[in-house]
Amino acid sequence: MVDRGSSLRLLADLVRLAALASAVNGFFVFGLEGGVKFMLVFGVLAVPRLVGGIPAPFDLAYCTTLLLATWSTTAAWYRALHGSDWPVHAVTTGAVSAMLYLLLARAELLPGLRDQPLRGHPGSVVLLTVAVGFGVGAVWELYEWFANNVLGGSILVGYNDTIADLLMDGCGSLVAGFALVAWRARGRQYAARSSDSAIPAR
């Protein structure tokens, strides 16, 4: 019987395949800027699979939201669905910031979820995730400028839009930070139950 984690991992892999198909299709339908964008997305979606050890729910959320966000900007869905840009920014940046935190923790650049948080306070995980999210948001805003001025894209940009996007990035990253803390607490509770139920060797 396939466990829940394996099922979620399979779904994440299917999303990666969809990203690859989108990359191939992007060059024909959306031109150079669209094709390059989907190729980059496929590359970053492959990283957690290559690294391994990433919790399946975070992997699936990362793959799904990032691919949907890429389609939203490339196919201009946000123009057809008025008001969708902000929640897409919040959800996508939240999923990406959680993934980056987990990857940086795997590289021992940030405290792992099984390690003691900074100063022993789990709130440090939330603050670090928010900081990562703002970094992700800043990189995206730089990409929008690059896409418009170098690749010939037509992404809606402006000062008010940039500030609103960064605000949504911060909100999404805040939620992601609390999700990481909740996952950490869940893992500790599971470990404690397993320890209590273990039969000591004689």
Side-chain angles (χ1 to χ4, degrees):
M1 183 176 181
V2 180
D3 59 46
R4 183 179 178 185
S6 298
S7 299
L8 295 179
R9 191 80 64 196
L10 176 60
L11 289 175
D13 287 340
L14 291 175
V15 176
R16 290 185 179 93
L17 290 176
L20 179 59
S22 299
V24 175
N25 181 66
F27 285 103
F28 297 100
V29 178
F30 302 111
L32 177 62
E33 193 262 340
V36 169
K37 187 185 297 184
F38 280 112
M39 285 296 295
L40 291 173
V41 168
F42 173 69
V44 298
L45 293 188
V47 172
R49 198 67 167 100
L50 295 174
V51 172
I54 302 299
F58 291 98
D59 189 22
L60 178 59
Y62 168 75
C63 292
T64 304
T65 58
L66 193 53
L67 181 58
L68 289 177
T70 305
W71 268 104
S72 177
T73 57
T74 306
W77 291 350
Y78 65 92
R79 293 178 180 174
L81 300 173
H82 183 68
S84 65
D85 187 43
W86 287 3
V88 167
H89 256 279
V91 173
T92 304
T93 306
V96 172
S97 62
M99 177 58 68
L100 280 178
Y101 185 98
L102 292 169
L103 291 173
L104 291 171
R106 292 277 294 175
E108 298 183 351
L109 296 174
L110 289 177
L113 297 185
R114 294 183 179 181
D115 302 330
Q116 188 74 351
L118 297 179
R119 296 187 179 274
H121 199 292
S124 63
V125 174
V126 177
L127 292 177
L128 288 170
T129 307
V130 172
V132 170
F134 275 124
V136 170
V139 170
W140 174 254
E141 298 304 323
L142 290 172
Y143 170 78
E144 286 189 341
W145 177 90
F146 179 80
N148 278 349
N149 292 277
V150 179
L151 299 179
S154 57
I155 303 174
L156 178 64
V157 294
Y159 181 76
N160 290 336
D161 178 73
T162 297
I163 295 302
D165 288 348
L166 289 174
L167 176 61
M168 292 298 102
D169 295 338
C171 292
S173 302
L174 182 65
V175 174
F178 282 113
L180 288 172
V181 171
W183 185 265
R184 175 179 179 272
R186 177 179 177 275
R188 286 179 171 269
Q189 291 173 359
Y190 177 80
R193 288 198 301 268
S194 299
S195 176
D196 291 342
S197 61
I199 300 176
R202 294 184 181 274

